Amino acid sequence: MRAVILTAGEGTRMRPLTLTRPKTMLPVGGKPLLEYTVEALKEAGIKNITMIVGYQKEAVKDYFKDGTSLGVNIDYVIQEERLGTAHAIGQIYGTLKEDDDAVIVTNGDIILGHRLIESLMTKFYESQAQSILVLTQVDDPSSFGVVELEGDHIKDIVEKPSLEDAPSNLINAGIYLFDRNIFKAIEKTEKSERGEYEITDSLKIQINKGKKVLGLVSQDKWIDVGRPWEFLELNEHFLELSESKIEGEIEEGATIHGPIILKKDSIIRSGTYIMGPVYIGENCDIGPNTFLRKHTSIGNNVNVGNAVEIKNSIIMDGTNVNHLSYVGDSIIGADCNIAAGTNIANLRFDDEGVKVTVKGKRIDSGRRKMGVIFADGVKTGINSSFNPGVTIGLNSSIGSGAIIYRDIPDNKIVIHHQTQEMMDKK
């Protein structure tokens, strides 16, 4: 059996974080989201993996290479035009080997556990189904593909119905198992109203022809990882599963509560107080007198200075968080410089949910506490302040003492602290 991971998309709802990498390569719990899927497949005994890549494909290929370092065999198929899930899956037909009697297909941006994969394979071989779709229950199915079940047979799939018209609260979880018949259905699949070839339409073709298309209801945690705050939730999830592993140095006088992962050539200096679970990558310098709170994930080559507090945040590779700064409930990109005294607010005065811009619209994150999203290469001036939910674009710089209350586009310099006046970077 072969596994296929769909990781060709742009992840536009995650911009500006995805301007320099695919969404599936964003780090959670110390490694790219995509790596968790590869590990789960390996644990389930599947070592032959095809990745469907497209947008920023080199970031994926340079990291995973042929899979040897993870104990699997990885090859790549390039989806030049991203025309939907059925189109992506159809790309692999010519690459299948004789012994690839079936394929497990999963979106690269979801949580996938090895026990679920094992259950899926068992059901497939015992039932001799043509296709199996993993389902999960949600409170509001109106934003998803909703499934109508009769026993474990799928009778229909309805895309994004109103809450009143939804046939159930079971939705497509983005994990499938197909035999080779799926490629015949894909050939007959027409473009949807969105202008894409949808795999759910291919499944409907099988259902209408009386093929055995089954649903497997998963009880595992499922997160629709599409927007920045959902990556914080995912980071929390993976860190809660972590166990302590100390490869670096902890100076005398540092206090550690709860599990931490400290990678090689990193140091935690005296006076630092850590409440785990916390992840700290390679070649990091933390402290002295720094406070790292639960669910903080720090990448490689990161410096966190004296008297800094970081809470429930993702700090990516090569970033400096300098002394006397506060970072709460935020995602900070790679190669940023957070100047001394930078303060990031993560709570509205009225205690309402923090709004964040997604594809040009302000969306309520549903989180009472949410800080900022910084793209790669952001620089802040000393004593700058940021209101909750603000997004700062790629390589932009914020002047000293500035109070930022709205989003800043890419490649801008904020030069006036009262009017938030901007100019283009030269």
Side-chain angles (χ1 to χ4, degrees):
M1 186 174 291
R2 175 169 296 276
V4 177
I5 305 175
L6 307 179
T7 180
E10 293 189 33
T12 53
R13 292 186 297 166
M14 292 293 297
R15 286 181 177 170
L17 297 170
T18 52
L19 291 173
T20 49
R21 60 181 73 78
K23 177 172 66 172
T24 56
M25 290 301 292
L26 286 168
V28 286
K31 54 192 171 187
L33 172 58
L34 194 53
E35 189 169 342
Y36 290 98
T37 299
V38 172
E39 290 174 344
L41 290 165
K42 179 189 173 185
E43 286 184 65
I46 299 177
K47 294 188 177 181
N48 295 321
I49 300 170
T50 297
M51 292 187 180
I52 309 293
V53 295
Y55 174 74
Q56 297 281 355
K57 58 183 180 292
E58 297 306 325
V60 179
K61 296 172 74 173
D62 290 348
Y63 185 89
F64 289 99
K65 299 182 172 60
D66 65 359
T68 300
S69 62
L70 293 173
V72 295
N73 307 309
I74 296 177
D75 59 21
Y76 301 90
V77 171
I78 299 172
Q79 188 186 20
E80 298 289 357
E81 290 185 277
R82 284 167 289 283
L83 299 176
T85 49
H87 177 261
I89 295 166
Q91 304 285 295
I92 70 158
Y93 181 65
T95 70
L96 294 177
K97 306 294 190 295
E98 287 186 12
D99 57 349
D100 292 330
D101 58 333
V103 290
I104 287 179
V105 179
T106 178
N107 293 333
D109 59 355
I110 59 175
I111 299 174
L112 182 63
H114 69 91
R115 291 186 180 85
L116 177 59
I117 302 169
E118 292 163 357
S119 297
L120 189 57
M121 291 191 293
T122 299
K123 187 176 183 71
F124 177 78
Y125 288 118
E126 289 180 350
S127 67
Q128 296 185 326
Q130 276 71 53
S131 299
I132 302 178
L133 172 56
V134 174
L135 311 176
T136 191
Q137 292 184 336
V138 296
D139 294 331
D140 181 1
S142 59
S143 298
F144 305 96
V146 185
V147 171
E148 180 183 349
L149 274 186
E150 188 175 286
D152 62 352
H153 288 250
I154 295 177
K155 307 306 291 182
D156 196 11
I157 304 171
V158 183
E159 285 294 331
K160 298 182 179 180
S162 67
L163 192 56
E164 296 76 18
D165 294 333
S168 72
N169 66 343
L170 292 171
I171 66 165
N172 174 7
I175 307 164
Y176 317 84
L177 202 158
F178 304 117
D179 70 9
R180 287 179 178 243
N181 285 302
I182 193 62
F183 297 104
K184 296 178 182 178
I186 288 173
E187 285 180 0
K188 298 175 182 178
T189 301
E190 298 180 354
K191 279 187 177 181
S192 68
E193 293 180 357
R194 297 195 303 173
E196 296 185 352
Y197 298 97
E198 314 277 2
I199 194 61
T200 49
D201 289 340
S202 306
L203 289 168
K204 286 182 184 180
I205 291 172
Q206 289 191 320
I207 292 167
N208 293 335
K209 287 194 170 186
K211 302 293 185 182
K212 188 182 282 189
V213 179
L214 305 181
L216 174 65
V217 179
S218 171
Q219 303 302 321
D220 291 355
K221 186 179 181 66
W222 186 84
I223 301 173
D224 178 30
V225 187
R227 298 163 297 188
W229 58 89
E230 288 154 353
F231 253 88
L232 288 179
E233 184 179 349
L234 197 62
N235 188 62
E236 294 167 19
H237 168 75
F238 283 122
L239 284 180
E240 284 292 339
L241 300 175
S242 66
E243 297 179 357
S244 287
K245 185 177 181 181
I246 309 297
E247 297 175 355
E249 178 185 354
I250 303 176
E251 288 186 346
E252 185 177 352
T255 302
I256 312 293
H257 289 286
I260 70 163
I261 297 172
L262 179 66
K263 304 298 283 186
K264 64 181 181 180
D265 299 322
S266 289
I267 183 169
I268 298 173
R269 298 190 179 278
S270 181
T272 295
Y273 193 102
I274 297 179
M275 298 171 58
V278 161
Y279 175 92
I280 300 169
E282 297 180 0
N283 196 35
C284 294
D285 194 327
I286 310 297
N289 306 314
T290 287
F291 184 19
L292 299 184
R293 295 168 63 180
K294 288 179 65 172
H295 306 133
T296 291
S297 181
I298 293 174
N300 300 325
N301 304 302
V302 172
N303 293 319
V304 179
N306 177 52
V308 169
E309 180 177 350
I310 303 177
K311 167 190 175 284
N312 189 38
S313 295
I314 299 170
I315 313 293
M316 298 189 201
D317 294 354
T319 286
N320 297 317
V321 185
N322 291 290
H323 50 283
L324 302 171
S325 295
Y326 174 74
V327 179
D329 301 275
S330 297
I331 302 177
I332 308 297
D335 301 315
C336 294
N337 191 73
I338 311 301
T342 297
N343 280 296
I344 294 171
N346 60 345
L347 179 66
R348 286 171 50 132
F349 287 128
D350 57 9
D351 266 355
E352 294 294 319
V354 175
K355 293 183 178 180
V356 180
T357 302
V358 177
K359 297 185 76 169
K361 296 182 179 179
R362 296 295 286 177
I363 303 295
D364 189 343
S365 68
R367 293 179 69 104
R368 179 172 170 267
K369 291 192 174 182
M370 178 73 202
V372 300
I373 298 109
F374 283 3
D376 293 356
V378 170
K379 293 178 171 56
T380 72
I382 59 170
N383 298 322
S384 53
S385 298
F386 297 82
N387 280 3
V390 162
T391 296
I392 309 297
L394 189 67
N395 295 322
S396 286
S397 298
I398 309 301
S400 300
I403 300 173
I404 305 301
Y405 51 86
R406 58 182 171 88
D407 296 347
I408 304 297
D410 301 335
N411 299 303
K412 299 292 183 182
I413 300 176
V414 175
I415 56 175
H416 197 289
H417 74 280
Q418 290 181 331
T419 63
Q420 204 166 300
E421 182 182 346
M422 289 180 287
M423 61 182 292
D424 293 330
K425 276 196 169 181
K426 301 296 185 183

